[in-house]
């Protein structure tokens, strides 16, 4: 009979038989960028996370890179919002300015931009609203313009998070016809309508002013649908497929990894971060252990990389 404890008796043996490893290259930290100078705004529901003006963002990213990071995800918060999200594709918009500054300062660092309209619309929905409902095809053409403006500013990867149909195809066509055929698309293909996004909406000031996102984000009850969404996005030209949130959806991560064999991203979202932080502040859990265990679980499920608000801290806890 096998004695399982034989392979657990020393650190060296445990290391030899370890099936999954978490490395610094697996982690991607999100950043929020605001207009102005020398500005740092704390986000109450996400202790340790803040919004930065471009000058301070560069300092944050420099420290992050020094920890061994190679990629970050960037969200812009414009000064002015309007019905048609004009700020999302302005050549001197907040995210476009941030990307230019980042790529100038850190040419090797991989800049991923979130492509969505919710932070740019006055009503907070992820698209153009007509008769109280989000118009898919009108939204898609704006998203394609926004993605192109990010690529023009120098973004290395664009990441659409809106959940409109056919947006990957539209973005791919607009990038290709403007000589950005080498800019990959990281599609938030499988984004559930989740209450775990609560703190993010404070951070990005993007809560919908009426209704909810149920007509475009996925029903948490569905798994087959995740596969259909992801397959269609790959067909439309997505290079990465994302599952979001992560922890309550690791069955989806595992299923997609097996069935798609495509680069897979898990997004460890704001509510997941906030819960751990709150418990850690109260000393109810050991933050480092809980975070590293959770991130490892996402990798074990099949994620090739993880977007997490804990990324920067986790880099400090990981040996190279
Ligand atoms: C915007 C967007 C959201 C997140 C990333 N991009 C939230 C939403 O749909 O309201 C969530 C991130 C998080 O909770 O960390 N479309």
């Amino acid at each position: 009979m096998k004695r399982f404890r034989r392979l657990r008796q020393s650190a060296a043996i445990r290391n030899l038989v370890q099936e999954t490893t978490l490395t610094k290259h697996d982690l991607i930290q999100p950043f929020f960028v605001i207009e102005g100078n020398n500005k740092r705004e704390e986000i109450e529901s996400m202790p340790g996370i803040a919004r930065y003006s471009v000058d301070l963002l560069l300092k944050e990213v420099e420290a992050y890179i020094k920890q061994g990071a190679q990629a970050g995800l960037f969200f812009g918060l414009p000064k002015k919002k309007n019905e048609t999200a004009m700020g999302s594709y302005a050549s001197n918009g907040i995210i476009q300015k941030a990307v230019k500054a980042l790529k100038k300062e850190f040419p090797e660092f991989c800049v991923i931009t979130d492509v969505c309209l919710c932070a740019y619309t006055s009503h907070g929905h992820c698209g153009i609203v007509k008769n109280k409902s989000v118009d898919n095809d009108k939204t898609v053409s704006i998203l394609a313009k926004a993605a192109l403006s990010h690529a023009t500013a120098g973004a290395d990867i664009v990441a659409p998070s809106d959940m409109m149909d056919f947006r990957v195809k539209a973005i791919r066509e607009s990038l290709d016809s403007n000589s950005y055929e080498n800019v990959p698309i990281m599609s938030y293909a499988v984004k559930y309508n989740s209450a775990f996004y609560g703190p993010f909406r404070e951070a990005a000031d993007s809560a919908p002013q009426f209704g909810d996102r149920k007509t475009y984000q996925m029903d948490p009850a569905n798994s087959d649908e995740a596969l259909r969404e992801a397959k269609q996005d790959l067909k439309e030209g997505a290079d990465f497929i994302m599952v979001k949130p992560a922890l309550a959806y690791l069955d989806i991560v595992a299923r997609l990894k097996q069935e798609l064999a495509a680069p897979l991203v898990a997004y460890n979202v704001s509510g997941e971060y906030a819960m751990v932080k709150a418990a850690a502040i109260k000393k109810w859990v050991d933050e480092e252990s809980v975070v590293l265990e959770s991130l490892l679980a996402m990798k074990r499920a099949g994620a090739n990389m993880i977007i997490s608000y804990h990324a920067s801290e986790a880099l400090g806890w990981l040996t190279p």
Side-chain angles (χ1 to χ4, degrees):
M1 280 302 222
K2 273 256 159 356
R3 280 183 181 269
F4 288 99
R5 293 183 56 196
R6 260 183 221 140
L7 300 183
R8 294 176 197 147
Q9 61 185 305
S10 71
I13 295 179
R14 288 194 296 274
N15 287 340
L16 287 171
V17 300
Q18 189 169 71
E19 298 173 40
T20 309
T21 41
L22 182 67
T23 74
K24 293 192 175 197
H25 286 172
D26 300 328
L27 300 174
I28 302 167
Q29 172 80 30
F31 294 90
F32 300 100
V33 198
I34 49 176
E35 293 279 1
N37 235 304
N38 198 26
K39 280 210 172 126
R40 179 183 196 281
E41 297 174 358
E42 300 273 349
I43 298 152
E44 205 185 314
S45 53
M46 300 175 76
I49 305 292
R51 309 182 193 101
Y52 298 98
S53 53
V54 175
D55 54 330
L56 296 190
L57 176 76
L58 293 176
K59 296 211 165 87
E60 280 299 303
V61 170
E62 187 179 10
Y64 173 58
I65 293 172
K66 280 206 176 112
Q67 302 251 56
Q70 55 167 12
L73 172 66
F74 295 85
F75 292 90
L77 276 85
K79 222 183 224 145
K80 283 206 183 99
K81 301 173 188 267
N82 73 356
E83 293 263 310
T84 51
M86 278 162 71
S88 65
Y89 54 86
S91 58
N92 64 345
I94 180 62
I95 190 70
Q96 292 79 0
K97 282 191 286 194
V99 170
K100 276 182 221 158
L102 285 162
K103 288 308 294 181
K104 184 160 173 250
E105 203 74 20
F106 315 111
E108 301 300 316
F109 182 68
C110 180
V111 172
I112 309 170
T113 54
D114 184 89
V115 178
C116 193
L117 307 189
C118 61
Y120 298 88
T121 53
S122 38
H123 44 68
H125 275 288
C126 301
I128 303 303
V129 169
K130 247 177 53 188
N131 307 325
K132 296 253 159 195
S133 126
V134 174
D135 185 302
N136 193 88
D137 300 4
K138 277 206 166 56
T139 302
V140 162
S141 62
I142 311 255
L143 291 166
K145 275 165 98 168
L148 178 59
S149 75
H150 295 185
T152 307
D156 295 291
I157 300 177
V158 293
S161 67
D162 50 283
M163 288 299 280
M164 298 300 123
D165 290 317
F166 315 125
R167 89 296 201 184
V168 172
K169 179 171 183 280
I171 290 173
R172 188 70 272 156
E173 284 171 0
S174 118
L175 293 176
D176 289 358
S177 56
N178 288 280
S179 319
Y180 294 108
E181 65 277 358
N182 285 326
V183 173
I185 299 175
M186 178 183 281
S187 173
Y188 289 65
V190 180
K191 179 174 178 185
Y192 286 95
N193 179 53
S194 171
F196 287 100
Y197 306 151
F200 173 92
R201 294 182 187 169
E202 182 202 336
D205 185 24
S206 64
Q209 300 302 300
F210 64 88
D212 52 39
R213 305 211 200 285
K214 285 185 183 156
T215 67
Y216 41 105
Q217 298 181 345
M218 280 183 55
D219 182 342
N222 297 350
S223 168
D224 289 348
E225 188 186 351
L227 198 54
R228 294 199 296 273
E229 269 279 4
K231 279 186 177 162
Q232 171 151 328
D233 278 11
L234 286 172
K235 218 180 263 169
E236 289 181 26
D239 301 281
F240 301 79
I241 293 294
M242 193 191 301
V243 174
K244 180 177 173 197
L247 278 178
Y249 297 85
L250 292 186
D251 58 321
I252 308 296
V253 173
R255 185 170 183 196
L256 294 196
K257 188 63 207 172
Q258 275 175 7
E259 303 211 28
L260 301 176
L264 197 59
V265 192
Y267 197 140
N268 179 212
V269 301
S270 58
E272 299 174 307
Y273 173 86
M275 291 192 302
V276 173
K277 270 286 168 200
I281 288 166
K282 286 193 173 281
K283 301 206 182 342
W284 290 348
V285 294
D286 177 57
E287 186 174 18
E288 175 176 340
S289 310
V290 164
V291 168
L292 293 179
E293 182 180 330
S294 303
L295 296 173
L296 184 71
M298 293 168 206
K299 285 230 41 208
R300 191 193 60 232
N304 298 98
M305 66 213 91
I306 301 161
I307 299 171
S308 173
Y309 300 94
H310 267 116
S312 201
E313 269 177 290
L315 290 174
W317 298 326
L318 286 171
T319 43

